Amino acid sequence: MAKNGQISSSVIKRLPRYYRFLGELMRQGTDRISSRELSEMMKLTASQIRQDLNCFGGFGQQGYGYRVSELHSEIGRILGVDRDFKTIVIGAGNLGRAIATHINFETRGCDLIGIFDKDPALKGTSVGKLKIMSTDNLEQFCRRHKPVIAVLCIPKSGTQEIADRLVGLGLRSFWNFSHYDLSIDHEDIIVENVHLGDSLLTLTYGTNAIISE
Ligand code: NAI
C-alpha cells in the first residue's frame, strides 16, 4: 500500500471527490461498484479511476469491482478524516462566521476549538458554540490547546504577520481565504490558498465559450 507521501498531488486533489461519491453510495446501501459504474457517476474514465485507486491498494477485483465501504474508509484514512486535528479560525467577520458555522469540520477530521478576532468589540460574542477570543490571547491558548490547523479569514494586509506568528506557536497547516497567496518557507508547513473568485472565473471562461454575443 502506498504511503500518503507517495501519492501524486493530482490524485490527492481527486480523493475528496471519490470520498464524497463513495459516501453517497454507502448511504444508498451499495456494497460494491465497478470502475465503469463509478466512472459514469463521476464523469471520469474507468481507466483513470483504476489508475487512481491502484495508487493506494488492491481494492478492486477483476469481475467484482470495488468494495464501497472498504474503499471509502481507506480514502478517509489517507485524507485524515479519522483524525481530530485541532483547528482555529482567525477573523470572525462575515466569512469567518460562515465558515465556522457552515463547514462540518468534524466529518473532515478537524475539531474547531476556537475563533479569534483582533476587534475588541467582538470579544465574548458567540459564533455557534464558540465565543470569540481576542488575538491577544493566541499565545496562551495555543500553548494550552495546541491547535495545528488555522483557517485565515482576515484581510490581505495582516495575513503574513499572523501566519508567521501562528507558525511560531506550533500551527502547521493553513486554510487561507485572505486575498493573499500565502507562502511559508518551511518544509513542514502546508498552505491551501482558497480563492472562490478563481472558481467563478473558471465558470465565466466556460460561459464565454458557450454563449456567443
Ligand atoms: P469582514 O470585514 O467581515 O471580517 C474581517 C474580520 O477580520 C474582522 O472582524 C476584523 O476585525 C478581523 N481582522 C482583521 N485583521 C485581523 C487580524 N490581523 N487578526 C485577527 N482578526 C483580524 O470580512 P470578510 O467578509 O469576513 O472577509 C475576510 C477576508 O476574506 C477579506 O479580506 C475578504 O477579501 C476575503 N475573502 C476571501 C474570499 C475567498 O474566496 N478567498 C471570499 C470572501 C472574502
Side-chain angles (χ1 to χ4, degrees), residues 174-192:
F174 292 88
W175 198 22
N176 174 38
F177 284 85
S178 73
H179 285 311
Y180 174 77
D181 280 339
L182 183 63
S183 80
I184 295 173
D185 195 13
H186 191 304
E187 59 178 310
D188 290 329
I189 304 288
I190 298 176
V191 178
E192 183 70 22

Side-chain angles (χ1 to χ4, degrees), residues 90-97 116-119 122 135 152-159 162 176-179 194-197:
I90 309 291
N94 294 312
L95 186 63
R97 284 165 188 270
F116 294 83
D117 201 285
K118 72 171 188 183
D119 181 353
L122 294 177
T135 41
L152 303 181
C153 302
I154 58 174
K156 207 175 182 169
S157 55
T159 304
I162 200 103
N176 174 38
F177 284 85
S178 73
H179 285 311
V194 183
H195 296 286
L196 298 177

